[in-house]
């Protein structure tokens, strides 16, 4: 395709590194832009996309191998015209700003062993953008991507954003990258992400031109202005508003609601239960210095037994070489969320209390699957459909369950919140109309 910089695009989109298709819910179900193709490595996730987007062509496998097929599909389907939007959310586990200098020097000296290949997945993504030249693209990643250095297609170390600019600026793309917290857009949990948006619509790039420096701390005109929180006109959406009316559960005595199979939680062992039962809203079990037996307020930060009565304190501890000691952990683990704030970031470990801020504000459990679906906005009134998880086996499933709790927690933990994606695409549609 030649670089004609025309506006002859078709109002469709495609996703790359599509996960379970949660971001695509915001685009197709929320904004009415059909996602005609998706590309995802893991079979369970690609099956989720096929189930929920029956019209979408799903490319299942490695992007390095499938990129040419993906490009051909668009060219045939759109009869050589360009798609309006492509979205990319390459995996972020390998991204780290730490050691960018070390990575650069080891790449220069030909030592590749410590390089994380996942960081290079952006390269086939950029090749697809070069070939299909959508009017817009949205790249979602963790905020530290801003400083990540990779080995580029010429085997040279290069910052990822600089690499995108070098290859896409000559095609007319104005690119802007900013950090957004999705709670500022009505999503009831905190999720900070680096959102990079590229545009090649001439009437827009005349006003917002190609610029070498892609990243900015201030919001760019490509990014929607916040609607919630200090910079928006609405208050942040809280945990109480979103899940406050759901029935009570308990991680030892009441694991699931008979009326809603998704309102279910994993079982805790007795020790976890004892630690968390004594932990107030917003606090960590590591802070539990008051003895539940005699109410004495212990002073030593490392105590696991009460200094007054000798009773066990409800603090995360292990017995090692016959001695009890505090578990080495972060202050954010074994911590409860707060009712009148958005939830903490939903991660793939949303079911694990020893992970970062995973406790329900006042019930003795982590968040249920229904709660994470609501907080992620996958279960949201803006969509007129329900996202389906049934019939896709993955991980350990109990006998009466036809969905995998592990798959749900993973795809939600890795996703761009559908409402957040819809808010970004709403903004691009408005920009397109206003010109
Ligand atoms: C951050 S997740 C994407 C989440 C998605 N945006 C959503 O909203 O649901 C990144 C995805 O890239 C996939 N992935 C990893 N390596 C890949 C590869 N080599 N080719 C294609 N997909 C890959 C992972 O399986 C994962 O589902």
């Amino acid at each position: 395709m030649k670089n004609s910089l025309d506006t002859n695009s078709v109002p469709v989109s495609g996703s790359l590194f599509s996960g379970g298709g949660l971001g695509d819910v915001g685009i197709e179900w929320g904004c009415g832009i059909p996602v005609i193709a998706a590309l995802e490595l893991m079979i369970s996730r690609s099956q989720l996309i096929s189930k929920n987007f029956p019209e979408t062509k799903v490319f299942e496998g490695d992007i390095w191998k499938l990129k040419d097929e993906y490009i051909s599909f668009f060219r045939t389907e759109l009869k050589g015209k360009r798609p309006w939007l492509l979205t990319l959310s390459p995996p972020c586990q390998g991204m780290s700003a730490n050691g960018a200098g070390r990575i650069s020097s080891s790449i220069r000296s030909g030592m590749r062993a410590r390089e994380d290949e996942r960081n290079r997945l952006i390269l086939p993504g950029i090749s697809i953008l070069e070939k299909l030249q959508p009017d817009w693209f949205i790249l979602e990643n963790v905020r530290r991507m801003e400083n990540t250095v990779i080995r580029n297609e010429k085997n040279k170390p290069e910052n990822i954003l600089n690499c995108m600019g070098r290859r896409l600026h000559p095609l007319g793309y104005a690119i802007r990258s900013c950090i957004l917290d999705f709670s500022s857009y009505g999503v009831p949990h905190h999720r900070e992400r680096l959102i990079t948006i590229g545009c090649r619509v001439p009437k827009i790039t005349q006003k917002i031109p190609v610029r070498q420096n892609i990243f900015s701390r201030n919001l760019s005109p490509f990014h929607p202005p916040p609607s919630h929180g200090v910079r928006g006109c609405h208050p942040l959406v809280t945990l109480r508003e979103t899940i406050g009316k759901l029935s009570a559960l308990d991680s030892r005595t009441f694991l699931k609601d008979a009326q809603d199979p998704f309102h279910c939680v994993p079982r805790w062992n007795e020790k976890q239960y004892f630690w968390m039962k004594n932990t107030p809203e917003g606090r960590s079990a590591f802070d539990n210095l008051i003895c539940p037996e005699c109410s004495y307020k212990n002073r030593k930060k490392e105590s696991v037994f009460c200094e007054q009565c000798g009773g066990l304190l409800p603090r995360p501890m292990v017995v090692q070489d016959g001695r009890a000691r505090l578990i080495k952990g972060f202050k954010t683990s074994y911590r409860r969320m707060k009712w009148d704030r958005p939830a903490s970031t939903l991660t793939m470990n949303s079911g694990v209390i020893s992970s970062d801020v995973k406790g329900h504000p006042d019930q003795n459990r982590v968040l249920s699957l229904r709660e994470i679906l609501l907080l992620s906005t996958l279960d949201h009134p803006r969509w007129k459909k329900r996202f389906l998880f049934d019939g896709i086996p993955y991980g350990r499933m109990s006998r009466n369950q036809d969905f995998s709790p592990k798959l749900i927690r993973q795809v939600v933990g890795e996703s761009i919140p559908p409402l957040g994606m819809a808010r970004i695409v709403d903004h691009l549609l408005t920009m397109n109309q206003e010109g």
Side-chain angles (χ1 to χ4, degrees):
M1 184 185 298
K2 66 183 190 323
N3 169 25
S4 54
L5 274 184
D6 57 283
T7 51
N8 196 12
S9 68
V10 183
V12 297
S13 68
S15 60
L16 297 163
F17 313 101
S18 313
L22 275 63
D24 292 337
V25 165
I27 299 171
E28 185 168 310
W29 297 6
C31 301
I33 309 287
V35 180
I36 65 166
L39 191 154
E40 166 56 42
L41 181 67
M42 288 178 65
I43 183 164
S44 49
R45 299 177 187 192
S46 67
Q47 284 178 348
L48 273 182
I49 307 173
S50 300
K51 189 170 189 77
N52 288 285
F53 299 89
E55 308 287 315
T56 301
K57 167 82 178 164
V58 182
F59 292 84
E60 182 197 300
D62 183 1
I63 188 169
W64 289 103
K65 296 194 183 124
L66 291 172
K67 68 178 178 8
D68 293 338
E69 257 183 75
Y70 189 88
I71 293 164
S72 306
F73 172 81
F74 268 92
R75 286 190 171 156
T76 312
E77 262 322 273
L78 306 186
K79 303 192 173 57
K81 291 188 176 172
R82 297 176 299 98
W84 182 70
L85 173 68
L86 285 185
T87 58
L88 310 83
S89 36
C92 44
Q93 289 87 346
M95 304 250 163
S96 167
N98 299 333
R102 176 182 56 72
I103 295 167
S104 303
S105 56
S106 63
I107 295 170
R108 276 199 202 93
S109 64
M111 285 163 43
R112 295 225 196 119
R114 295 168 99 186
E115 172 184 57
D116 194 321
E117 274 296 327
R118 286 174 297 188
N119 293 353
R120 299 189 79 237
L121 288 168
I122 190 69
L123 295 175
I126 297 175
S127 303
I128 293 173
L129 290 174
E130 284 173 331
K131 292 277 168 26
L132 294 180
Q133 297 184 21
D135 278 359
W136 295 92
F137 70 82
I138 302 171
L139 169 72
E140 180 247 355
N141 216 291
V142 286
R143 52 181 299 177
R144 56 186 185 272
M145 194 197 89
E146 173 211 343
N147 293 316
T148 301
V149 171
I150 58 165
R151 180 167 53 88
N152 68 15
E153 75 284 2
K154 299 172 187 166
N155 280 330
K156 296 271 183 309
E158 190 173 29
N159 168 285
I160 291 191
L161 293 181
N162 295 345
C163 176
M164 295 191 77
R166 174 175 56 76
R167 291 178 56 177
L168 298 172
H169 284 155
L171 298 175
Y173 279 102
I175 310 174
R176 300 289 187 272
S177 193
C178 305
I179 294 161
L180 305 185
D181 182 340
F182 284 109
S183 66
S184 305
Y185 298 92
V187 172
H189 74 274
H190 287 291
R191 195 175 200 86
E192 278 198 338
R193 284 293 183 268
L194 185 73
I195 301 293
T196 304
I197 300 179
C199 173
R200 70 181 289 289
V201 180
K203 63 181 181 180
I204 296 175
T205 56
Q206 275 156 19
K207 294 184 210 151
I208 305 160
V210 175
R211 187 178 77 186
Q212 287 310 313
N213 195 5
I214 291 177
F215 178 76
S216 64
R217 299 220 169 271
N218 299 330
L219 211 61
S220 93
F222 290 164
H223 294 75
S227 49
H228 292 68
V230 278
R231 289 205 248 129
C233 22
H234 304 285
L236 295 174
V237 185
T238 65
L239 213 55
R240 194 186 297 281
E241 281 170 72
T242 315
I243 64 163
K245 293 209 168 79
L246 294 188
S247 63
L249 297 175
D250 184 275
S251 63
R252 286 201 67 80
T253 58
F254 199 71
L255 297 180
K256 96 173 157 211
D257 180 339
Q259 307 299 316
D260 177 1
F262 289 91
H263 194 35
C264 64
V265 290
R267 182 181 290 281
W268 281 350
N269 63 36
E270 271 177 48
K271 281 193 260 171
Q272 291 170 322
Y273 197 88
F274 172 60
W275 303 335
M276 293 309 295
K277 190 176 85 172
N278 289 285
T279 304
E281 180 181 339
R283 304 304 295 263
S284 160
F286 283 107
D287 304 332
N288 289 338
L289 282 165
I290 296 178
C291 175
E293 291 296 320
C294 70
S295 306
Y296 179 73
K297 185 161 187 227
N298 287 270
R299 285 155 208 272
K300 290 190 196 144
K301 285 210 174 103
E302 66 282 5
S303 291
V304 287
F305 294 106
C306 176
E307 293 153 29
Q308 180 164 277
C309 74
L312 203 54
L313 294 178
R315 309 182 76 196
M317 52 149 277
V318 281
V319 178
Q320 200 177 34
D321 301 329
R323 286 185 51 153
R325 64 159 178 81
L326 272 189
I327 288 176
K328 290 196 183 85
F330 293 104
K331 280 280 185 182
T332 47
S333 66
Y334 296 99
R335 186 177 282 277
R336 291 187 186 276
M337 299 184 195
K338 293 184 179 168
W339 269 126
D340 293 314
R341 301 268 172 85
S344 61
T345 307
L346 301 175
T347 65
M348 297 208 281
N349 278 337
S350 62
V352 181
I353 190 61
S354 59
S355 183
D356 269 6
V357 201
K358 297 295 184 266
H360 184 281
D362 56 21
Q363 295 168 26
N364 297 323
R365 60 182 182 84
V366 291
L367 299 176
S368 73
L369 297 178
R370 172 64 65 209
E371 288 166 337
I372 64 160
L373 293 174
L374 286 162
L375 292 164
S376 69
T377 69
L378 185 54
D379 184 348
H380 191 271
R382 181 162 168 179
W383 335 126
K384 301 294 169 234
K385 298 186 217 175
R386 279 206 162 226
F387 196 89
L388 305 173
F389 285 98
D390 53 294
I392 300 172
Y394 184 75
R396 193 156 18 114
M397 289 162 74
S398 61
R399 214 176 298 147
N400 302 326
Q401 252 171 357
D402 64 351
F403 56 84
S404 158
K406 186 174 174 186
L407 180 62
I408 296 175
R409 291 197 188 267
Q410 283 195 355
V411 292
V412 165
E414 285 214 330
S415 69
I416 182 163
L419 183 65
M421 180 63 107
R423 296 290 317 280
I424 295 171
V425 176
D426 286 342
H427 182 68
L428 304 187
L429 286 165
T430 307
M431 287 188 79
N432 240 75
Q433 269 161 16
E434 291 172 354

